[in-house]
Structures are given as C-alpha cells and as structure tokens.
Amino acid sequence: ELKVEQNPLFLSMQEEKNYTIYCNYSTTSDRLYWYRQDPGKSLESLFVLLSNGAVKQEGRLMASLDTKARLSTLHITAAVHDLSATYFCAVDTLYYQLIWGAGTKLIIKP
Amino acid sequence: EAGVAQSPRYKIIEKRQSVAFWCNPISGHATLYWYQQILGQGPKLLIQFQNNGVVDDSQLPKDRFSAERLKGVDSTLKIQPAKLEDSAVYLCASSPGDRTSLLTEAFFGQGTRLTVV
C-alpha cells in the first residue's frame, strides 16, 4: 500500500525557534510537493522537488528531498507567527498519482 | 494567468437532495482533480481526469457521486442523493502535464464548502 507519513502531525513552537517537519513515503518517486493551507482556505503550492538532492528555499522555509531514503524535510528557521498553517506533502507516484500526507498543523506562538 | 475557478463557494442542502459543483481549470492544463477535504484532514482524491478521460476514480462513491469533464476542459461533480457525511470542502485542482511530463504541480481552486443538514 502506498503511504505518505508526516510527522509531527501537530507542532506548537515559539517564535525564533527552528524546527523540521518530516515526510516519509513508501513508493519509488522523485517528485514531491509541499503545500500550505491556512484555516478556511485552499492549498497553496510552496515547493516542487523533482530530483534526488533537490533543495528549495523561500524565506524562512527550506525543503529538501532524499529519494534514496524516501524522505523529504521542511525546515523552518527562526519561525514567525505568519508561518502558522497546516503543511502537506504530496508524492507523485510513477503512475502519475498524488499521494498526500495527513498534514502537519503548525502553531507559532509569539 | 487566471487560476482554477470553482463555483459555488458555499452550499447548504438537506440530506437526500442533489448538488453540483463546477470547476474551470487553468487554461491548457491536461490533468484535473477533484478532492474532498473533511475538516482537520488531508485532501482525499475523488477522481482524476487526464484530458477528458478518467485516470483514477477508485475512491469515488459511485452510487451517489458522478463527475464529468466536458471536452477536456471544464468539469462538474455531482452528488445525488447527499448524505450528512458528505459535508466537506470540495477542491478542484489542475496541473499542466501528462504522464510523460515533469509538469505535475497541482494548482488548487478556492473550493466549495458543502454543508448537508
């Protein structure tokens, strides 16, 4: 069974701290996506990772992909309140289907 | 470029009634997805179209849900009859590519929030 597991599922942290969200998957893939969802809103694409070793950065967020370990990380540096949201990873299988993680709800306290 | 358009934004119906949602994907996008997202959960794929053909509808409750993609562009999702557990946000997304393309990033519409009472 194809699985995408995110952890933690819930994360409450203080501003200015660093933390990492992990996305493990069980199928062979070299395409992975990170999305952000604010409460009551739709999903917004954050990062597209298309190969082993891919690293993308946008502001205080950095995503990486290790296809051999079947692992992607989303690293948050010096968190600020505006980053509070739910973050999803999605893996594109060889059969051209997106398999979604359950999401990580991130709350950043001032 | 214009994003994925969905309508209506909100809908309240009574159980056993029918409802339809409409989606207009980004122009030129070959793939169209319908997702169901229940509050607090991740999106669940209901159906995936490649142009006007169905790629995956394994999680679509076919006894009550139906979907079509007209001429490989717009799409409608229908529920008939609705149940209380169908209360959710229905998200439409599209992506540029096909099976041979790397362009598989999905772009989402604002969603339709359905409440069944």
Side-chain angles (χ1 to χ4, degrees):
Chain A
E1 182 186 352
L2 304 176
K3 285 187 177 179
V4 176
E5 295 183 345
Q6 284 184 241
N7 68 83
L9 297 181
F10 180 80
L11 178 57
S12 179
M13 54 193 291
Q14 298 290 330
E15 282 190 324
E16 299 300 318
K17 298 291 186 182
N18 303 331
Y19 211 80
T20 301
I21 299 170
Y22 297 90
C23 176
N24 290 88
Y25 54 97
S26 64
T27 185
T28 300
S29 176
D30 59 1
R31 306 183 201 180
L32 188 141
Y33 308 91
W34 284 97
Y35 286 84
R36 168 180 173 151
Q37 187 173 38
D38 292 298
K41 303 291 186 182
S42 190
L43 288 95
E44 173 191 0
S45 178
L46 287 176
F47 297 111
V48 177
L49 303 170
L50 296 178
S51 62
N52 186 40
V55 177
K56 295 281 184 72
Q57 183 164 5
E58 180 73 33
R60 299 172 188 270
L61 299 177
M62 183 174 71
S64 65
L65 177 62
D66 181 344
T67 58
K68 294 179 181 178
R70 299 183 182 176
L71 171 68
S72 179
T73 61
L74 180 65
H75 187 73
I76 303 150
T77 301
V80 293
H81 178 68
D82 287 352
L83 291 178
S84 296
T86 299
Y87 293 86
F88 292 93
C89 64
V91 175
D92 188 349
T93 73
L94 294 178
Y95 298 98
Y96 192 61
Q97 296 169 322
L98 290 177
I99 309 297
W100 291 79
T104 297
K105 185 172 184 177
L106 176 63
I107 295 177
I108 300 169
K109 301 176 181 178
Chain B
E1 73 184 350
V4 176
Q6 287 188 248
S7 67
R9 289 293 309 278
Y10 305 93
K11 191 74 177 178
I12 301 174
I13 62 172
E14 295 182 351
K15 59 183 179 184
R16 291 187 290 273
Q17 285 188 324
S18 62
V19 64
F21 312 126
W22 174 81
C23 173
N24 182 228
I26 293 172
S27 178
H29 279 198
T31 302
L32 186 147
Y33 309 85
W34 281 104
Y35 286 93
Q36 179 193 61
Q37 188 175 27
I38 293 172
L39 187 63
Q41 299 183 15
K44 170 188 169 185
L45 179 68
L46 292 175
I47 189 166
Q48 177 179 343
F49 292 96
Q50 183 74 45
N51 296 308
N52 59 353
V54 175
V55 172
D56 182 4
D57 64 356
S58 57
Q59 297 191 89
L60 186 74
K62 298 181 184 64
D63 58 335
R64 298 184 302 107
F65 286 64
S66 65
E68 61 178 1
R69 189 174 184 192
L70 306 173
K71 299 180 181 178
V73 182
D74 292 8
S75 179
T76 55
L77 176 69
K78 296 179 181 178
I79 307 174
Q80 182 180 11
K83 293 184 175 181
L84 295 176
E85 59 260 36
D86 297 333
S87 294
V89 175
Y90 291 83
L91 294 164
C92 179
S94 69
S95 70
D98 56 23
R99 289 179 182 275
T100 62
S101 172
L102 288 178
L103 301 175
T104 58
E105 181 184 6
F107 297 86
F108 283 81
Q110 290 301 302
T112 297
R113 184 176 299 275
L114 174 67
T115 303
V116 182
V117 298

